[in-house]
Amino acid sequence: MQCPKCRAPMHTYNRNGVQIEQCSGCRGIFLDYGELESLTRLESQWSQPAPPPRLGPLGLQAG
């Protein structure tokens, strides 16, 4: 596949199950339909805050 912008070869990468095409020349990234939504969903799952620590009977962290 060739880059639609600069005509350099494109390379396909797999990121968490999402196929991403990147140009070897201009380094542009091209996504197929639905791939942006998939990446956005994965990012929001990854960036969720950690749950608060569990506290034991005296208010101490359980471990």
Side-chain angles (χ1 to χ4, degrees):
M1 179 188 299
Q2 286 185 330
C3 175
K5 180 179 177 183
C6 72
R7 301 292 180 215
M10 302 281 289
H11 299 283
T12 302
Y13 299 97
N14 186 341
R15 299 283 186 222
N16 295 323
V18 179
Q19 298 287 326
I20 299 172
E21 284 75 42
Q22 184 172 24
C23 175
S24 62
C26 68
R27 308 293 288 167
I29 293 181
F30 298 88
L31 302 171
D32 293 333
Y33 181 80
E35 290 175 341
L36 179 60
E37 289 80 8
S38 296
L39 291 171
T40 304
R41 185 179 68 253
L42 289 168
E43 172 67 19
S44 67
Q45 291 173 356
W46 183 81
S47 63
Q48 289 180 350
R54 295 184 348 188
L55 298 178
L58 300 175
L60 301 174
Q61 275 189 323

